[in-house]
Amino acid sequence: MEQEIKKLQEQLKKQEKLASLGLLSAGIAHEIQNPLNFVINFSKMSDKLLKDLTEIIEDNEDKIPEEDREDLEDIVSDLKDNLGKIVEHGERAISIIRGILLVSRGKENEFVPTDVCHLVKEYIWLSYHAMRANYKNFNIAIHEQYEEGIPMMMVIPQDLSRAVLNVMNNASYAVWHKSQTASEDYHPEISVSVSTDDGNVIITIGDNGEGMNEETKQRLFENFFTTKPVGHGTGLGMTITRDIIENKHGGKLTFDSKEGEGTTFTFTIPIKK
Ligand SMILES: Nc1ncnc2c1ncn2[C@@H]1O[C@H](COP(=O)(O)OP(=O)(O)OP(=O)(O)O)[C@@H](O)[C@H]1O
Ligand SMILES: [Mg+2]
């Protein structure tokens, strides 16, 4: 009893932190958009200037010594590549920020037309980067497969992203934990897919981590059931996830797991346009 109360208190603290973190990250995301747009726009402008410069060089080719000409061409081409990279990564950052804003803007329990592939992708990588920041030697391969042309569908983005995050965090932990004791030829892998079938969207997240034993499979959805050390799990992730998929979205949450080999979770959600 005492232990349960302690866990509950810890969970409450965590939720308070998460709530303020949500507000904070929405604020930060919003603020970062502006400077990031400057970075992208100035890079694009510089790219245009570089083109002008190239033209001037070409017009004056005969005035530049041969060896200098080659150096100039190399430098211009490197600059062009660098600017391209700045724009590419800047745009990636902008798209992550848009994802965060979209999710934190939606009201609680509000169904919003959503690009599910985009949502899944953003939260898979958000979880990945959070794990990398928190766990030493966290090195995994992520395989992604997104069906093209899935229509925008009505979901509660705040909740669906939470569900993806919960399952991805568990998968990441399972491969990380296994890698701590596995032999060197173990390659931690997580496979993610989003597809449609028969009016449903199907999201799968599979790992080749430590898998679950019989007891864990039985008790997976019990409140506060966890096999993780204190501070690494409260045992509520899967309860919350099942509530989100089954009660809030009218879908089905299933899993398949083999001890020592890995686990796959599947969300099957009816498409509401
Ligand atoms: N992909 C997985 N591979 C192996 N075991 C898993 C996996 N997902 C869940 N589990 C097992 O199920 C237990 C319960 O998972 P759940 O997400 O509900 O709680 P948790 O991860 O322990 O804590 P948290 O509330 O922080 O998510 C985990 O402690 C773990 O033993
Ligand atoms: Mg969990």
Side-chain angles (χ1 to χ4, degrees), residues 165-167 169-170 228 232-238:
L165 212 56
N166 283 344
V167 173
N169 285 347
N170 284 345
K228 296 173 187 171
H232 293 263
T234 35
L236 283 171
M238 289 319 299

Side-chain angles (χ1 to χ4, degrees), residues 128 132 135-141 175-176 179 187-189:
Y128 170 82
R132 263 183 78 122
Y135 289 88
K136 264 189 206 154
N137 309 321
F138 182 74
N139 251 318
I140 64 171
V175 291
W176 173 80
S179 75
H187 300 290
E189 279 176 24

Side-chain angles (χ1 to χ4, degrees), residues 11 14 166-167 169-172 174 207 209-212 216 219-222 225-228 232-241 257 262-265:
Q11 179 62 15
K14 207 168 144 192
N166 283 344
V167 173
N169 285 347
N170 284 345
S172 300
D207 65 71
E210 54 194 354
M212 299 179 214
T216 305
R219 304 183 60 192
L220 181 61
F221 296 110
E222 250 175 50
F225 174 77
T226 181
T227 58
K228 296 173 187 171
H232 293 263
T234 35
L236 283 171
M238 289 319 299
T239 322
I240 294 169
T241 303
S257 184
T263 305
T264 299
F265 278 93

